[in-house]
């Protein structure tokens, strides 16, 4: 049955249907029309939240020969003939030698761990063992669209509504009432109350198969439990993930101060929204000067440095207050600053001032004085699937069912006793550590430049009419842009979710291909050499091949995770690293100069992240119905503004050719 699933799913995943699985992209929340009359819950799903989890198919380990073939295909556009010949020999030797043995061991290990996926433990280990700061290097952000009713974007009103909706989401999830995440290929058949009333009675061990029969594919929800009451704890060598579901309090930060108050009462119910509003108003009007040594800065430090300082904090008697920080439902950062434009928003939501953040929390909602809001999240525990679902649900709930309003009066309660401002005992060594953390933080973030671009001459609709994949064309524009700017084709990474499988994480799509290289050279370096029909043919080839790569990645049939898992296995056994992993070409393809991720959602205005290498670009982008946009970051080694001009020129050229106009 599972084999049939792979064949069927592969066959039905057409480019236009991939936007849910691609890059943790569009959750289906905006298509749901349910709500709960009970104010404690967002809705009450007919099908229990985790109903499909037990019967999800397992993430397949690709065949070794397929992995080597795909790896060499991805290397081909990055290497000259001599380099490729060397890399091909190394790869074939690996395939017929030590790689064969590692692959067989990996398959055996996977068979002995049927409760999870082969990538789950190595992936957690990779994130938690990284010692560099999680700021810029790991934590991304996704900003909320403004509330369509402008008066609801007041900082206090919006913050209160978001806290209330977030708690309602948490309660809905934990009660098993949250609608399961399902990818519907035929929603008229599967996304109906009648089907749900039948499938809910199918045992969990078989329920996935019942959904599959009507072309519906439930997605993994194993990451969701780490959304709330969760924090990454710094430890020497390797961090730990901490979760304590008993915490009923919210962590609020303002001007570097930290406050806690309960948002869930002793009976497990949401505290009255007007009381939450009163407590937040109390915090916003607290006249206490900003602390000279704000503790939040420590979470931006090198992880080993922070681990040592945390031990000192505990030794100085701060265990109880740190426990409150770690076990809080989530963090709300109230910023006193107003945003000037969306570039300012990106800088503020990606890293801010360092003092008014606790980057280790599973996620933080950041709310500026002008009501701009975003989620910044710690990346080790999950890939954004759960965060995006949460963001979509919270946006929908706050905009459609707000619990406080611009004219609402906060409750007459004693906020001074309900709200506790956390006090930390700091000695000279800890104060010095915070001062150094501040210097390191500002030195790092001062190097980051962010730019953005909106291309208004066309988008998804126009491209689909021409039978072209919108994502393929966006990726091609990045390849063309980089070639125009730097004259090179370089390692490129596009994230793709493998949430169709139990404990799936992500797989890599490699958008730099022999097809994009040929097409980019034709457009950029040989503009008069080809006819319009030839250029359109090249665009079509790029689109088809990118579509194939995307389908393969969503099916767990890329090469990156397989090679990574075998390397991890060799390391864990203390073996000498096989030659394939010592080949300079392997290092180069994993030095991702173009790191890209796409996101379109009714809740999200823009998303962003820093480059993953010093000489790279971090490219967040979205292809909308009639326009395309991207939000790009870089360090001083690259010129982000020039890159955006080159991408704009590339899109101009592509759309001109599609309209039958020759390249100018």
């Amino acid at each position: 049955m599972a084999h049939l699933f792979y064949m069927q799913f592969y066959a039905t995943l057409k480019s236009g249907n991939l936007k849910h699985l691609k890059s943790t992209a569009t959750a289906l929340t905006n298509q749901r029309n349910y709500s709960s009359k009970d104010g404690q819950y967002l809705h009450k799903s007919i099908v229990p939240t985790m109903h499909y989890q037990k019967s999800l198919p397992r993430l397949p380990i690709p065949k070794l020969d397929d992995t080597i073939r795909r790896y060499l295909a991805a290397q081909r556009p990055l290497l000259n003939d001599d380099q490729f010949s060397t890399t091909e020999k190394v790869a074939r030797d690996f395939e017929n030698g030590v790689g064969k043995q590692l692959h067989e061991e990996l398959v055996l290990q996977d068979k002995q761990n049927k409760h999870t996926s082969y990538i789950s433990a190595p992936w957690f280990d990779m994130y938690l063992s990284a010692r560099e700061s999680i700021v810029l290097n790991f934590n991304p952000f996704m900003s909320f669209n403004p509330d369509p009713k402008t008066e609801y974007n007041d900082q206090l009103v919006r913050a209160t509504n978001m806290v209330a909706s977030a708690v309602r989401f948490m309660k809905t999830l934990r009660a098993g009432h949250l609608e399961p995440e399902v990818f519907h290929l035929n929603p008229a058949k599967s996304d109906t109350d009648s089907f749900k009333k039948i499938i809910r009675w199918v045992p969990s061990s078989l329920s996935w198969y019942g959904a599959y029969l009507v072309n519906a594919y439930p997605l993994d929800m194993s990451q969701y439990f780490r959304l709330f009451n969760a924090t990454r704890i710094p430890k020497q060598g390797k961090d730990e993930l901490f979760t304590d579901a008993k915490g009923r309090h919210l962590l609020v930060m303002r001007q570097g101060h930290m406050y806690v108050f309960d948002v869930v009462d002793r009976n497990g119910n949401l505290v009255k929204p007007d009381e939450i509003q009163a407590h937040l108003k109390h915090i916003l009007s607290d006249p206490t000067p900003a602390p000279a040594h704000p503790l939040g800065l420590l979470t931006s430090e090198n992880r080993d440095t922070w681990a040592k300082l945390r031990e000192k904090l505990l030794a100085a008697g701060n265990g109880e207050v740190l426990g409150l920080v770690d076990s809080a439902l989530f963090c709300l950062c109230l910023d006193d600053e107003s945003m000037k434009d969306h570039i300012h928003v990106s800088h503020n939501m990606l890293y801010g001032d360092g003092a008014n953040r606790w980057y280790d929390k599973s996620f933080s909602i950041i709310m500026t004085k002008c009501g701009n809001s975003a989620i910044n999240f710690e990346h080790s525990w999950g890939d954004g699937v759960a965060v995006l679902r949460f963001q979509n649900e919270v946006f929908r709930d706050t905009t459609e069912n707000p619990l406080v309003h611009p004219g609402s009066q906060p409750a007459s309660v004693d906020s001074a006793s309900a709200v506790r401002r956390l006090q930390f005992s700091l000695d000279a060594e800890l104060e010095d550590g915070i001062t150094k953390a501040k210097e390191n933080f500002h030195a790092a973030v001062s190097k980051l430049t962010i730019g953005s671009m909106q291309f208004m001459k066309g988008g998804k609709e126009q491209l689909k009419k021409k039978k072209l994949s919108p994502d393929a064309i966006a990726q091609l524009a990045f390849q063309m842009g980089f070639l125009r700017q730097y004259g090179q084709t370089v390692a490129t990474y596009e994230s793709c979710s493998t949430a169709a499988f139990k404990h799936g994480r992500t797989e890599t799509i490699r958008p730099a291909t022999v097809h994009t290289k040929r097409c980019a050279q034709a457009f950029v370096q040989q503009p008069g050499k080809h006819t319009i029909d030839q250029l359109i043919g090249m665009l079509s080839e790029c689109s088809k091949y990118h579509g194939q790569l995307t389908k393969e990645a969503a099916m767990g049939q890329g090469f990156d995770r397989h090679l990574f898992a075998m390397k991890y296995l060799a390391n864990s056994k203390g073996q000498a690293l096989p030659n394939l992993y010592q080949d300079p070409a392997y290092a180069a393809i994993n030095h991702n100069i173009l790191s890209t991720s796409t996101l379109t959602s009714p809740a999200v205005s823009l998303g962003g992240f820093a480059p993953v290498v010093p000489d790279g670009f971090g490219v967040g982008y979205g292809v909308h119905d009639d326009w395309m946009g991207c939000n790009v970051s870089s360090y001083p080694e690259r010129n982000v503004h020039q890159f955006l001009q080159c991408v704009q020129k590339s899109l101009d050229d592509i759309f001109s050719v599609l309209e039958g106009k020759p390249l100018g």
Side-chain angles (χ1 to χ4, degrees):
M1 187 71 175
H3 179 69
L4 278 175
F5 154 66
Y6 300 141
M7 300 301 293
Q8 169 75 359
F9 194 35
Y10 190 93
T12 49
L13 274 177
K14 298 185 175 74
S15 300
N17 288 331
L18 276 165
K19 54 180 181 273
H20 190 115
L21 293 176
K22 272 272 300 80
S23 185
T24 73
T26 312
L28 299 175
T29 315
N30 51 312
Q31 296 170 11
R32 299 185 174 113
N33 297 309
Y34 42 60
S35 63
S36 169
K37 288 172 185 168
D38 182 344
Q40 295 295 315
Y41 302 111
L42 295 177
H43 55 255
K44 288 189 176 177
S45 171
I46 296 168
V47 183
T49 307
M50 304 304 280
H51 188 55
Y52 299 109
Q53 191 67 27
K54 199 173 178 181
S55 56
L56 283 173
R58 301 195 62 232
L59 181 68
I61 298 176
K63 292 177 182 172
L64 183 59
D65 58 339
D66 285 341
T67 287
I68 297 301
R69 175 177 54 78
R70 289 170 181 140
Y71 171 66
L72 289 172
Q75 285 284 18
R76 181 65 276 206
L78 308 178
L79 303 173
N80 64 32
D81 290 347
D82 288 346
Q83 290 168 331
F84 183 74
S85 178
T86 302
T87 291
E88 187 175 32
K89 183 181 183 312
V90 168
R92 295 297 176 203
D93 288 348
F94 177 82
E95 181 184 0
N96 299 316
V98 66
K100 193 175 179 184
Q101 181 193 338
L102 286 169
H103 173 77
E104 285 167 4
E105 286 184 47
L106 185 66
V107 169
L108 182 64
Q109 194 180 75
D110 186 53
K111 280 180 181 164
Q112 293 165 350
N113 291 278
K114 291 189 174 173
H115 64 286
T116 187
S117 69
Y118 78 91
I119 199 61
S120 184
W123 214 239
F124 273 120
D125 203 44
M126 175 202 67
Y127 272 117
L128 294 172
S129 300
R131 299 293 81 195
E132 59 265 45
S133 167
I134 61 175
V135 182
L136 301 186
N137 296 306
F138 294 105
N139 286 31
F141 82 90
M142 298 187 289
S143 68
F144 283 93
N145 273 318
D147 192 307
K149 302 183 292 295
T150 52
E151 65 274 21
Y152 281 81
N153 291 308
D154 170 82
Q155 186 180 28
L156 177 59
V157 171
R158 197 170 198 206
T160 305
N161 280 322
M162 282 205 177
V163 169
S165 292
V167 173
R168 276 155 48 87
F169 180 97
M170 179 273 292
K171 285 180 56 61
T172 309
L173 170 67
R174 288 183 177 168
H177 295 324
L178 189 71
E179 185 89 0
E181 201 68 37
V182 178
F183 183 60
H184 297 278
L185 283 170
N186 186 1
K189 224 174 180 183
S190 58
D191 199 11
T192 63
D193 282 0
S194 56
F195 173 73
K196 290 170 187 174
K197 282 171 183 170
I198 296 166
I199 199 71
R200 69 175 295 184
W201 296 110
V202 176
S204 287
S205 56
L206 299 171
S207 55
W208 177 89
Y209 298 98
Y212 156 79
L213 290 172
V214 291
N215 238 355
Y217 298 92
L219 302 181
D220 180 79
M221 296 182 75
S222 63
Q223 296 174 8
Y224 280 59
F225 85 98
R226 290 201 193 273
L227 261 172
F228 298 100
N229 303 102
T231 302
R232 177 173 175 162
I233 307 288
K235 297 279 181 181
Q236 289 289 327
K238 182 183 170 184
D239 293 354
E240 292 174 5
L241 292 174
F242 168 88
T243 308
D244 178 7
K246 296 190 293 293
R248 295 186 285 114
H249 57 286
L250 173 71
L251 172 66
V252 183
M253 300 189 73
R254 178 173 171 258
Q255 289 191 337
H257 288 298
M258 305 169 84
Y259 308 81
V260 292
F261 64 85
D262 284 353
V263 287
V264 176
D265 67 20
R266 284 188 176 83
N267 299 317
N269 294 320
L270 170 69
V271 167
K272 288 177 184 172
D274 61 348
E275 291 185 23
I276 294 172
Q277 185 183 16
H279 299 337
L280 291 177
K281 186 177 181 184
H282 171 79
I283 291 168
L284 283 167
S285 54
D286 183 356
T288 311
H293 298 94
L295 208 68
L297 279 159
L298 293 180
T299 63
S300 72
E301 255 294 6
N302 168 281
R303 302 307 292 177
D304 283 337
T305 305
W306 171 206
K308 284 180 202 158
L309 289 167
R310 184 183 166 93
E311 288 301 319
K312 293 187 189 304
L313 275 167
L314 292 169
N318 296 294
E320 187 257 344
V321 277
L322 277 174
L324 287 170
V325 172
D326 296 337
S327 62
L329 272 165
F330 62 94
C331 180
L332 171 69
C333 305
L334 296 172
D335 289 355
D336 282 0
E337 204 174 355
S338 290
M339 300 293 98
K340 297 190 283 286
D341 53 35
H342 56 270
I343 300 296
H344 190 192
V345 168
S346 290
H347 283 284
N348 190 63
M349 304 312 187
L350 185 60
Y351 58 83
D353 66 354
N356 209 45
R357 302 284 183 271
W358 196 265
Y359 300 105
D360 289 354
K361 274 314 267 182
S362 56
F363 75 91
S364 298
I365 293 179
I366 301 162
M367 182 75 63
T368 68
K369 192 170 187 177
C370 54
N372 273 109
S373 183
I375 290 176
N376 180 296
F377 68 96
E378 197 281 308
H379 217 322
S380 66
W381 65 270
D383 304 300
V385 177
V387 179
L388 184 60
R389 172 74 185 274
F390 168 75
Q391 188 158 4
N392 282 338
E393 295 278 10
V394 165
F395 181 76
R396 181 187 176 104
D397 195 50
T398 54
T399 54
E400 295 182 9
N401 311 299
L403 297 181
V404 301
H405 310 278
S408 300
Q409 286 303 306
S412 298
V413 289
D414 183 8
S415 290
S417 57
V419 177
R420 176 180 170 190
R421 180 157 57 82
L422 301 183
Q423 306 275 15
F424 293 88
S425 174
L426 304 177
D427 60 19
E429 191 176 0
L430 285 164
E431 288 183 350
D432 185 49
I434 293 169
T435 301
K436 282 182 180 152
K438 184 176 182 179
E439 289 167 6
N440 292 339
F441 172 84
H442 287 292
V445 301
S446 66
K447 293 174 184 159
L448 190 78
T449 303
I450 298 176
S452 68
M453 180 212 77
Q454 290 185 338
F455 177 79
M456 307 306 291
K457 294 178 188 173
K460 201 180 294 178
E461 287 181 0
Q462 200 173 332
L463 293 169
K464 283 188 174 178
K465 278 178 192 164
K466 300 286 185 182
K467 295 188 168 53
L468 295 172
S469 152
D471 190 64
I473 296 305
Q475 287 289 345
L476 177 61
F478 304 144
Q479 294 299 315
M480 282 188 193
F482 197 90
L483 184 71
R484 185 178 294 278
Q485 188 178 8
Y486 295 105
Q488 286 177 287
T489 296
V490 291
T492 307
Y493 179 106
E494 180 180 2
S495 176
C496 180
S497 172
T498 49
F501 302 95
K502 185 181 286 185
H503 294 189
R505 295 289 306 236
T506 59
E507 183 52 271
T508 308
I509 301 166
R510 291 292 182 171
T513 68
V514 291
H515 303 286
T516 62
K517 187 174 186 177
R518 189 181 305 126
C519 188
Q521 286 172 341
F523 271 75
V524 174
Q525 295 171 341
Q526 309 148 350
K529 193 176 168 185
H530 304 274
T531 66
I532 287 171
D533 283 349
Q534 286 173 327
L535 292 172
I536 290 174
M538 289 183 199
L539 293 176
S540 182
E541 276 300 308
C542 291
S543 177
K544 277 184 206 152
Y545 192 67
H546 186 79
Q548 179 191 327
L549 292 179
T550 303
K551 289 172 202 166
E552 289 174 356
M555 290 296 301
Q557 293 291 329
F559 66 84
D560 280 85
R561 299 299 175 267
H562 188 194
L563 289 179
F564 175 84
M566 288 189 286
K567 182 184 180 187
Y568 181 85
L569 184 59
N571 280 333
S572 67
K573 294 170 65 182
Q575 287 182 358
L577 205 56
N579 287 341
L580 180 135
Y581 300 109
Q582 297 185 52
D583 180 7
Y586 181 81
I589 203 170
N590 286 291
H591 183 89
N592 290 298
I593 289 171
L594 285 169
S595 180
T596 73
S597 188
T598 185
L599 189 72
T600 50
S601 156
V604 177
S605 159
L606 76 165
F609 50 93
V612 296
V613 292
D615 57 339
F617 288 114
V619 184
Y621 67 101
V623 185
H624 305 271
D625 286 344
D626 53 5
W627 66 282
M628 302 163 77
C630 53
N631 201 32
V632 184
S633 62
S634 76
Y635 294 116
E637 287 187 49
R638 299 287 179 191
N639 184 327
V640 74
H641 301 297
Q642 192 180 56
F643 176 68
L644 287 166
Q645 287 169 5
C646 292
V647 171
Q648 177 95 34
K649 166 71 173 149
S650 301
L651 289 168
D652 280 334
D653 286 351
I654 291 167
F655 277 81
S656 289
V657 164
L658 291 176
E659 289 164 11
K661 297 173 189 167
L663 290 174

